[in-house]
Amino acid sequence: MGENIGAAARAMWNFGLARMRLVAPRDGWPNPKAAAMASGAGRVIDEAQVFAQTAPALADLNYVYATTARAREMTKPVMTPEEAMADAHARVARGERVGVMFGRERTGLENDDVARANAIVTAPVNPAFPSLNLGQCALLVAYEWRRQAPADENAAPRPEPAAARVEDVDRMLAHLEQELEAAGYFFPEDRRASMQMNLRNLFRRAPLTDQDVRTLRGVIRSLAEGRRRR
């Protein structure tokens, strides 16, 4: 169903996954119901690849996980979503391409599909009601993918602090020199030029930010006011 594909796309994008592959979508493709259900995850829908059969959809992958709630008479590793996604991260770090297969909403994966997988992923659900909606299943796996990622992958990127403008640094230096002059710092007079040059080089060497300049202006102002009070 288009709605289930859209829900799966939204779950993927929530946790930073964007590569969706569809095998013989029941209602054809593209599907406006999928796009509507995906909400802000339209990128996943727009870039989804469509295949007529399972085999070509898996052809370029090195390792495949099949999600199923039913016991299968197959000799394969059986993992929880947590274990599977930790294993997936390790494989990706080694340069492998991995994929997770999800089945139809009504019947799940066929045995022929599961047979193509390297491992089975099963969540510890209520045995009396093990069926998960496709979107829920994708959300569960995508969440574990994100949770098992190295800490630096999950960290929100920090915005770079804005670099100070040349004119703001010039004003700060002028302010500093003005107060140093009042305090009698530039002595003897024949060394004034070299002392000013050293100060300017000192602050030009460091890549100052806007905040740095504001802080320094506050420090200079506070010292000057304290000197005047004394």
Side-chain angles (χ1 to χ4, degrees):
M1 292 175 58
E3 294 90 339
N4 289 326
I5 295 172
R10 186 169 182 173
M12 288 171 61
W13 194 231
N14 278 147
F15 296 101
L17 295 169
R19 295 176 183 174
M20 172 181 275
R21 299 179 181 189
L22 304 172
V23 177
R26 190 194 73 176
D27 300 324
W29 197 259
N31 188 312
K33 291 181 179 180
M37 190 68 182
S39 188
R43 169 186 167 182
V44 179
I45 294 294
D46 293 341
E47 297 178 2
Q49 296 177 272
V50 182
F51 299 84
Q53 297 177 321
T54 304
L58 307 178
D60 65 333
L61 303 180
N62 302 108
Y63 202 88
V64 178
Y65 306 86
T67 58
T68 177
R70 294 186 288 117
R72 309 278 182 153
E73 299 302 320
M74 299 184 192
T75 306
K76 292 182 186 292
V78 178
M79 306 178 183
T80 64
E82 179 181 11
E83 293 166 339
M85 293 302 97
D87 181 67
H89 272 291
R91 293 180 180 280
V92 169
R94 296 196 295 267
E96 295 183 32
R97 296 171 64 87
V98 304
V100 182
M101 274 198 296
F102 301 91
R104 299 172 181 83
E105 175 71 20
R106 187 172 60 84
T107 60
L109 288 170
E110 301 290 340
N111 281 341
D112 286 347
D113 295 326
V114 178
R116 296 179 184 279
N118 302 98
I120 289 173
V121 181
T122 299
V125 294
N126 176 7
F129 188 58
S131 176
L132 288 175
N133 170 271
L134 175 61
Q136 293 173 326
C137 192
L139 181 71
L140 181 62
V141 174
Y143 166 76
E144 284 297 343
W145 166 263
R146 186 73 170 182
R147 196 171 74 88
Q148 296 299 321
D152 57 345
E153 285 186 26
N154 285 329
R158 294 185 179 182
E160 290 293 326
R165 297 184 305 174
V166 171
E167 65 176 325
D168 291 333
V169 177
D170 285 343
R171 287 173 184 162
M172 184 271 293
L173 286 169
H175 185 189
L176 176 60
E177 289 177 6
Q178 175 186 331
E179 296 302 336
L180 289 173
E181 174 73 24
Y185 176 78
F186 296 113
F187 182 84
E189 183 63 27
D190 62 348
R191 294 186 57 195
R192 171 188 293 271
S194 64
M195 294 171 77
Q196 289 177 321
M197 182 66 70
N198 288 338
L199 279 172
R200 291 167 189 166
N201 283 335
L202 171 65
F203 288 105
R204 292 294 184 198
R205 239 185 349 257
L208 298 175
T209 66
D210 280 342
Q211 183 59 55
D212 293 334
V213 170
R214 287 195 295 270
T215 299
L216 288 167
R217 291 292 294 267
V219 169
I220 296 165
R221 190 177 304 111
S222 180
L223 290 172
E225 289 172 356
R227 178 175 52 80
R228 293 187 186 106
R229 285 196 296 270
R230 290 195 298 274

